[in-house]
Amino acid sequence: MPELRLVQSLLDTKGVYILDCWSDVFIWIGRKSPRLVRAAALKLGQELCSMLHRPKHACVTRNLEGAECQVFKSKFKNWDDVLKVDYTRAAETVQQNDNLQGKVKKDAEQKDQMKADLTALFLPRQPAMPLTEAEQLMEEWNEDLDGMEGFVLEGKKFTRLPEEEFGHFYTQDCYVFLCRYWVPVEYEDEDEEKEKKGGEAGRGGGGGGKGDEDEEDKQPEEDFQCVVYFWQGRQASNMGWLTFTFSLQKKFESLFPGKLKVVRMTQQQENLKFLSHFKRKFIIHKGKRKQNTDSVQPSLYHIRTNGSALCTRTIQIGTDSSNLNSEFCFILKVPFESTDNQGIVYTWVGRAADPDEAKLAEDIMNSMFDDTYSKQVINEGEEPENFFWVGIGSQKEYDEDAEYMKYARLFRCSNEKGYFSVSEKCSDFCQDDLADDDIMLLDNGKEVYMWVGTQTSQVEIKLSLKACQVYIQHMRAKDSEYPRKLRLVRKGNEPHCFTRCFHAWGPFKTPPS
């Protein structure tokens, strides 16, 4: 610190800093800092604040790089928000300068050309994965799985999850699954594998003997790998992740040194291999596990597959008949007004629903509810007035097709790379993929929505509007039957035609205070 004063150059964009000023504790978060460090800094900042005796008005303030508050800036000597620009020189004169040669000149030329990357807008939509391929992948991944243990965060520690609850997740909870996978011996000896593939028929049983010897040499340590999947519900706090990294992760690392990989996932953004272990019975309930506050209320679940059978989820949604759709299956639980946990459960099959999905929905209903409930599969149009429509609230109009599922695409427009670029989220997108500091483009086959987050810049808005127009022109030339219209949407005011493209749309997550 020159002259014992803070200067702006001390702050590195990849870091997180805590500035303790006694009456205020500031946390400065660099744009490129890791998420975990950010979360840890917030916790540490609060702990630091309580360590010393401070005035009543003392508080912890979060400052994002580029959006610092005036009080924070005042602690630094000559804080400068203005970029230094030499207005006397134009780009041409700079490049003509004799001193600017070789690589520097080439970089300057490339930067000038690289104003935007819109390639993603011209690529074809990702085709749906055939059911047979998805089932084969599921089978292969489950064959490699040697064992799976589950844990759930209860209070401040993780406790073992009973096996009968595998596949049931709650939006306010955090889960950890420790999966042990067999690693084939050939995987570690690639030359032998190539040789085996090339001449297995010619060599007969000889190669098998060599493999057995290798296997004996490499056993018992070299034959498995452990993956820890951490799953966080939409309404769960980040404390679950911090608790896991400081407790359970350390324990697993000591048990399996050098063999552990950690995969962190949030609700509806799960890893495909992880999803495959639940064989399409992946159920997300609202609220917290072991809290039966809503057990007397009817509950509605929507079963939906996003682009691949691997991405099949059954998610609890609002109990309202306007959420039904003729191309999907739903499960409705109507409890009786009694304390003995009884009731009736319906699997509602839309008239245009996939027969495979209808069968799956019935299986899910049977695994979700025991025999204390009476169960019934009903087709659209055959609903009993007394329990079904009364249980769901009342009979309202609902969508009779899901054509948008064939067209839905979500693009992200951002300039975080230093230039403007558009990228596509795969067909298994969800509401939390709408990034608040970016512009998102959603195509549903009829309209292209330009979704504007609350923290987007004017530059991004202008460039995204241009990208939207380019995409619409491209789609009109390619698919003249469906000329798209441009619609502007602000966060929090999304119309039904927009929200239905997302499985289990709900209120937006509020950032932790």
Side-chain angles (χ1 to χ4, degrees):
M1 285 186 279
E3 303 167 32
L4 292 176
R5 288 293 305 274
L6 292 172
V7 285
Q8 203 175 342
S9 58
L10 291 168
L11 302 171
D12 178 3
T13 186
K14 290 181 181 170
V16 177
Y17 297 80
I18 296 176
L19 174 62
D20 190 348
C21 300
W22 183 65
S23 62
D24 287 289
V25 174
F26 297 99
I27 294 164
W28 185 88
I29 295 169
R31 282 186 188 278
K32 295 179 183 173
S33 58
R35 268 188 174 171
L36 178 60
V37 180
R38 294 179 184 196
L42 289 171
K43 184 94 180 80
L44 189 59
Q46 282 155 353
E47 284 182 10
L48 259 176
C49 196
S50 60
M51 278 178 182
L52 299 171
H53 176 68
R54 296 174 193 269
K56 282 182 183 174
H57 61 267
C59 63
V60 179
T61 317
R62 223 162 132 254
N63 284 273
L64 290 172
E65 181 182 352
E68 296 86 356
C69 67
Q70 212 54 47
V71 183
F72 178 79
K73 290 181 196 173
S74 69
K75 309 289 179 190
F76 290 77
K77 186 183 180 184
N78 301 335
W79 181 285
D80 190 5
D81 281 327
V82 182
L83 293 172
K84 291 178 177 64
V85 179
D86 181 355
Y87 291 102
T88 61
R89 305 179 73 188
E92 290 77 20
T93 59
V94 172
Q95 282 182 28
Q96 283 161 12
N97 193 323
D98 294 338
N99 302 332
L100 193 69
Q101 285 173 343
K103 188 180 181 302
V104 180
K105 187 171 180 180
K106 199 174 158 195
D107 280 359
E109 284 168 1
Q110 275 185 344
K111 244 186 180 167
D112 205 40
Q113 292 164 8
M114 196 61 191
K115 285 196 177 126
D117 177 8
L118 306 179
T119 326
L121 297 175
F122 302 101
L123 295 173
R125 184 179 185 267
Q126 181 187 356
M129 187 188 283
L131 182 62
T132 47
E133 196 181 317
E135 283 175 339
Q136 190 184 337
L137 258 177
M138 216 180 291
E139 200 177 313
E140 283 173 15
W141 281 334
N142 282 306
E143 272 176 14
D144 291 343
L145 182 69
D146 177 38
M148 180 158 81
E149 288 180 70
F151 303 86
V152 61
L153 184 65
E154 284 187 354
K156 290 187 177 177
K157 63 177 196 290
F158 281 92
T159 57
R160 201 172 284 276
L161 185 71
E163 228 168 281
E164 63 271 16
E165 288 187 46
F166 283 17
H168 291 266
F169 296 82
Y170 286 81
T171 56
Q172 289 179 19
D173 283 325
C174 293
Y175 295 80
V176 169
F177 285 87
L178 173 66
C179 294
R180 182 181 155 120
Y181 295 105
W182 289 115
V183 176
V185 174
E186 302 90 64
Y187 183 77
E188 286 152 31
D189 195 340
E190 284 176 15
D191 294 335
E192 188 198 328
E193 188 182 3
K194 283 174 193 165
E195 207 182 306
K196 256 184 147 179
K197 280 185 179 170
E200 202 161 6
R203 283 187 293 125
K210 186 178 184 302
D212 291 344
E213 281 169 34
D214 275 10
E215 218 168 273
E216 273 174 31
D217 292 345
K218 287 178 177 149
Q219 297 258 342
E221 281 103 19
E222 295 297 313
D223 60 345
F224 75 91
Q225 189 212 0
C226 285
V227 179
V228 176
Y229 298 102
F230 176 91
W231 187 92
Q232 182 174 325
R234 268 198 92 202
Q235 291 144 353
S237 81
N238 287 332
M239 281 309 294
W241 174 246
L242 286 174
T243 306
F244 165 71
T245 51
F246 291 120
S247 62
L248 216 52
Q249 187 177 346
K250 298 267 184 289
K251 191 177 174 185
F252 290 152
E253 280 169 353
S254 64
L255 285 170
F256 310 107
K259 288 186 173 293
L260 195 72
K261 183 185 170 196
V262 176
V263 178
R264 185 185 183 185
M265 302 169 299
T266 49
Q267 181 182 321
Q268 286 167 268
Q269 295 173 321
E270 295 88 5
N271 168 298
L272 289 184
K273 192 169 185 176
F274 175 71
L275 284 174
S276 75
H277 299 328
F278 301 95
K279 297 168 183 164
R280 301 184 77 191
K281 292 178 184 172
F282 196 90
I283 302 148
I284 301 172
H285 307 267
K286 282 184 181 178
K288 222 168 171 47
R289 183 178 163 268
K290 287 189 172 175
Q291 264 188 10
N292 293 331
T293 44
D294 289 341
S295 60
V296 290
Q297 298 299 320
S299 49
L300 183 66
Y301 294 82
H302 178 193
I303 298 158
R304 178 165 145 172
T305 299
N306 288 342
S308 156
L310 290 166
C311 305
T312 304
R313 298 176 186 87
T314 302
I315 307 180
Q316 188 176 352
I317 56 172
T319 311
D320 193 312
S321 58
S322 63
N323 288 329
L324 297 173
N325 184 309
S326 304
E327 281 199 33
F328 296 111
C329 299
F330 295 79
I331 293 171
L332 174 71
K333 177 189 88 167
V334 185
F336 298 145
E337 289 180 11
S338 64
T339 51
D340 52 3
N341 201 26
Q342 287 183 331
I344 188 161
V345 181
Y346 297 101
T347 291
W348 185 89
V349 179
R351 68 170 70 91
D354 183 288
D356 278 332
E357 222 156 275
K359 176 79 186 75
L360 176 69
E362 191 180 346
D363 289 349
I364 290 170
M365 171 181 75
N366 290 326
S367 66
M368 268 172 85
F369 300 97
D370 58 24
D371 296 334
T372 58
Y373 286 89
S374 61
K375 298 167 202 165
Q376 214 176 321
V377 178
I378 51 168
N379 291 317
E380 182 179 354
E382 298 170 6
E383 303 88 356
E385 180 70 40
N386 209 4
F387 281 108
F388 188 85
W389 291 121
V390 169
I392 207 166
S394 62
Q395 196 166 350
K396 296 177 189 170
E397 278 189 22
Y398 55 80
D399 291 330
E400 295 189 7
D401 73 85
E403 278 292 290
Y404 53 87
M405 291 288 284
K406 296 175 192 162
Y407 301 97
R409 298 179 77 176
L410 184 69
F411 298 94
R412 179 184 177 194
C413 305
S414 174
N415 54 13
E416 68 175 10
K417 293 177 181 173
Y419 57 89
F420 182 77
S421 70
V422 179
S423 55
E424 183 175 4
K425 175 74 177 120
C426 67
S427 53
D428 185 30
F429 57 79
C430 71
Q431 187 178 346
D432 293 333
D433 288 313
L434 298 171
D436 206 16
D437 52 354
D438 286 316
I439 303 274
M440 310 297 291
L441 307 186
L442 176 77
D443 178 7
N444 69 358
K446 291 179 181 171
E447 292 100 0
V448 173
Y449 292 95
M450 181 172 142
W451 182 90
V452 183
T454 56
Q455 294 169 29
T456 40
S457 67
Q458 288 303 311
V459 175
E460 277 181 320
I461 292 173
K462 282 177 186 171
L463 292 169
S464 301
L465 189 58
K466 205 83 191 135
C468 259
Q469 290 161 343
V470 166
Y471 178 72
I472 287 172
Q473 283 169 357
H474 168 66
M475 290 312 286
R476 277 185 183 157
K478 212 177 107 184
D479 191 3
S480 54
E481 275 183 64
Y482 293 94
R484 272 57 161 184
K485 289 177 184 169
L486 179 60
R487 298 266 187 267
L488 185 70
V489 175
R490 285 206 171 273
K491 184 183 178 181
N493 294 316
E494 295 83 2
H496 173 66
C497 289
F498 181 94
T499 59
R500 68 181 183 174
C501 295
F502 298 82
H503 190 184
W505 180 276
F508 278 97
K509 289 195 283 193
T510 48
S513 55

